């Protein structure tokens, strides 16, 4: 299939998932994950009406997105990969949403940069639902206290939670855990689900799904 066909297929599946879960049409946002793809590969998705994109690396994003966003000011760019504190200034300058706030050092760096730049990208806390040592994220039991720290001490508005379940496990329990934590923390957004499991994520309450290979093809 051509990219536009793949994109339309994903949109149709999201709509079907919303209906199956008894959720309103349009309640799940599609974040098209364009990491590793150049601007000319992203162009057809923009032409097909996609406006929300996800990237993993700040430096890679700086090479392609400023020009694309200048052409299409309504594009919304999400950082969905790990953020180093020395890239906080660049992340605040470029991204509309930062989904990977995963430790106090990053939260403090973002708070400082947001005040300095006068910009307020929307923020998500990344939760390591599988307690995987090689993966970033706050432990589930520590998430409420971390969200409170971000809000009360650093003055950050946390919009939602994000997770990446262990690849070899059933994602459903991880999505259920994230939804439970969101209620406990008083946040309304859940970024969960990727190309292989976004249908399951919608059933468990995802408000955004991060889909790359099902749209752009294999990397």
């Amino acid at each position: 299939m051509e990219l536009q066909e793949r994109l339309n297929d994903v949109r149709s599946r999201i709509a079907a998932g919303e209906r199956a879960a008894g959720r309103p049409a349009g309640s799940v946002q599609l974040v098209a994950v364009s990491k590793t793809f150049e601007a000319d590969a992203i162009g057809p998705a923009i032409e097909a009406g996609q406006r929300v994109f996800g990237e993993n690396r700040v430096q890679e994003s700086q090479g392609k997105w400023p020009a694309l966003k200048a052409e299409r000011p309504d594009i919304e760019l999400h950082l969905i990969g790990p953020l180093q504190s020395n890239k906080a200034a660049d992340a605040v300058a470029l991204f509309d949403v930062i989904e990977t706030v995963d430790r106090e050092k990053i939260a403090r760096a973002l708070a400082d940069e947001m005040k300095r730049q006068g910009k307020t990208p929307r923020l998500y806390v990344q939760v390591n639902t599988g307690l995987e040592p090689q993966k970033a994220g706050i432990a589930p039991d520590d998430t409420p206290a971390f969200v409170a720290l971000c809000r009360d001490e650093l003055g950050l508005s946390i919009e939602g939670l994000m997770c990446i379940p262990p690849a070899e496990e059933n994602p459903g329990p991880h999505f259920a855990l994230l939804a439970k934590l969101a209620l406990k923390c008083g946040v309304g957004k859940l970024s969960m689900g990727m190309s292989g499991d976004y249908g399951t994520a919608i059933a468990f309450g995802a408000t955004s799904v991060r889909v790359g290979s099902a749209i752009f093809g294999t990397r």
Side-chain angles (χ1 to χ4, degrees), residues 32-114:
V33 179
S34 49
K35 64 178 184 180
T36 77
F37 287 97
E38 298 298 328
D40 58 353
I42 299 168
I46 296 173
E47 291 169 14
Q50 181 64 26
R51 292 293 181 270
V52 185
F53 293 87
E55 289 283 342
N56 262 36
R57 298 181 182 278
V58 174
Q59 191 167 349
E60 177 191 340
S61 303
Q62 288 175 309
K64 58 187 176 184
W65 279 106
L68 290 170
K69 290 187 77 175
E71 292 175 7
R72 296 280 188 173
D74 57 339
I75 282 175
E76 181 177 289
L77 191 60
H78 291 228
L79 179 63
I80 60 172
L83 176 61
Q84 302 300 318
S85 57
N86 63 351
K87 294 291 183 181
D90 294 333
V92 169
L94 180 59
F95 289 91
D96 302 291
V97 182
I98 297 172
E99 297 196 14
T100 49
V101 183
D102 64 354
R103 57 197 186 280
E104 184 177 340
K105 184 178 180 181
I106 287 297
R108 290 188 181 279
L110 289 171
D112 290 344
E113 281 301 326
M114 289 165 68

Side-chain angles (χ1 to χ4, degrees), residues 3-217:
L3 184 147
Q4 185 162 352
E5 291 178 277
R6 295 194 297 268
L7 179 59
N8 287 337
D9 180 64
V10 170
R11 288 170 172 165
S12 295
R13 291 173 184 270
I14 290 172
E18 290 171 337
R19 290 193 297 272
R23 300 176 57 185
S27 58
V28 179
Q29 181 186 64
L30 170 60
V31 180
V33 179
S34 49
K35 64 178 184 180
T36 77
F37 287 97
E38 298 298 328
D40 58 353
I42 299 168
I46 296 173
E47 291 169 14
Q50 181 64 26
R51 292 293 181 270
V52 185
F53 293 87
E55 289 283 342
N56 262 36
R57 298 181 182 278
V58 174
Q59 191 167 349
E60 177 191 340
S61 303
Q62 288 175 309
K64 58 187 176 184
W65 279 106
L68 290 170
K69 290 187 77 175
E71 292 175 7
R72 296 280 188 173
D74 57 339
I75 282 175
E76 181 177 289
L77 191 60
H78 291 228
L79 179 63
I80 60 172
L83 176 61
Q84 302 300 318
S85 57
N86 63 351
K87 294 291 183 181
D90 294 333
V92 169
L94 180 59
F95 289 91
D96 302 291
V97 182
I98 297 172
E99 297 196 14
T100 49
V101 183
D102 64 354
R103 57 197 186 280
E104 184 177 340
K105 184 178 180 181
I106 287 297
R108 290 188 181 279
L110 289 171
D112 290 344
E113 281 301 326
M114 289 165 68
K115 180 180 284 189
R116 189 178 70 83
Q117 295 186 35
K119 296 189 69 177
T120 53
R122 287 145 44 212
L123 303 178
Y124 286 57
V125 167
Q126 182 173 352
V127 182
N128 188 345
T129 56
L131 294 173
E132 296 175 275
Q134 80 282 10
K135 191 174 287 181
I138 299 291
D141 287 349
D142 297 335
T143 299
F146 181 70
V147 171
L149 169 78
C150 290
R151 286 173 170 162
D152 301 338
E153 184 175 334
L154 303 180
L156 295 173
S157 178
I158 302 298
E159 178 174 283
L161 305 180
M162 176 266 228
C163 75
I164 306 171
E168 70 282 359
E169 293 185 18
N170 175 2
H174 295 273
F175 297 152
L177 173 59
L178 199 72
K180 182 179 179 180
L181 286 169
L183 282 173
K184 192 170 185 178
C185 295
V187 298
K189 302 291 186 179
L190 290 168
S191 173
M192 57 190 195
M194 298 185 288
S195 287
D197 58 16
Y198 65 90
T200 302
I202 292 170
F204 280 95
T207 57
S208 62
V209 294
R210 309 180 304 274
V211 181
S213 58
I215 297 170
F216 292 101

